[in-house]
Amino acid sequence: MRKLNLKLILLFAVLLNGVFSCSSDSSSSNAVDPNPVINTVKNGTWKITFYENSGVNETTNFTGYNFIFGSNSVLTATNGANTYAGTWSVTIDNSGDDSPSNDLDFNIAFATSANFSNLTDDWNILERTDTKIKLVHVSGGNGGTDYITFEKN
């Protein structure tokens, strides 16, 4: 009888520990920090080494362009002859529209040039190193998936 009571007490303690260790607090240690990504892209110039728009490789549209992720969210793309200005930011996305739902969005916006306006979206970060950032976007309307890779010059 005593062994049975001890087992029940241990089981109850394990269950209580499980209940109290779960938390819906968004400031938990699972929170993501945009600063490492921001600090990475603000350092140096970048080029697009891969761009796929709904299954079509369109990397050549950006050949020769250098991208500068500058202060105050200013994004500049230039090839020496043409310069396009846009905006960029890295934000925490808690919207639940993708998995994981508590991740970072890499936001790019260009208002001019059809090729550059195709980059305008809220991208999910697939991979980040000091010299490479891989992004993905799944379109809500047609369900197409776009990929972009920036590599540091």
Side-chain angles (χ1 to χ4, degrees), residues 129-145:
T129 68
D130 289 341
T131 59
K132 183 185 290 188
I133 297 181
K134 291 184 176 183
L135 308 172
V136 63
H137 177 78
V138 178
S139 299
N142 63 7
T145 302

Side-chain angles (χ1 to χ4, degrees), residues 70-143:
S71 300
N72 299 320
S73 300
V74 175
L75 174 58
T76 306
T78 185
N79 66 359
N82 299 307
T83 300
Y84 300 104
T87 61
W88 72 282
S89 64
V90 180
T91 57
I92 298 172
D93 176 17
N94 292 323
S95 66
D97 63 343
D98 52 16
S99 181
S101 61
N102 186 23
D103 63 352
L104 296 175
D105 276 352
F106 196 108
N107 308 290
I108 297 174
F110 282 99
T112 58
S113 172
N115 290 337
F116 286 88
S117 65
N118 284 338
L119 301 178
T120 299
D121 252 317
D122 57 332
W123 299 84
N124 291 318
I125 301 169
L126 292 175
E127 176 185 331
R128 178 195 60 86
T129 68
D130 289 341
T131 59
K132 183 185 290 188
I133 297 181
K134 291 184 176 183
L135 308 172
V136 63
H137 177 78
V138 178
S139 299
N142 63 7

Side-chain angles (χ1 to χ4, degrees), residues 19-28:
V19 167
F20 289 113
S21 67
C22 294
S23 172
S24 63
D25 182 9
S26 63
S27 65
S28 70

Side-chain angles (χ1 to χ4, degrees), residues 44-49 61-69 75-85 110 116 119 150-153:
T45 61
W46 298 77
K47 61 185 172 189
I48 293 177
T49 58
N61 292 340
F62 307 100
T63 300
Y65 280 92
N66 290 310
F67 291 79
I68 299 170
F69 297 90
L75 174 58
T76 306
T78 185
N79 66 359
N82 299 307
T83 300
Y84 300 104
F110 282 99
F116 286 88
L119 301 178
F150 286 97
E151 290 191 49
K152 192 171 183 179
N153 285 321

Side-chain angles (χ1 to χ4, degrees), residues 30-49:
N30 292 342
V32 291
D33 182 6
N35 288 315
V37 177
I38 292 168
N39 293 335
T40 296
V41 297
K42 285 178 72 173
N43 184 12
T45 61
W46 298 77
K47 61 185 172 189
I48 293 177
T49 58

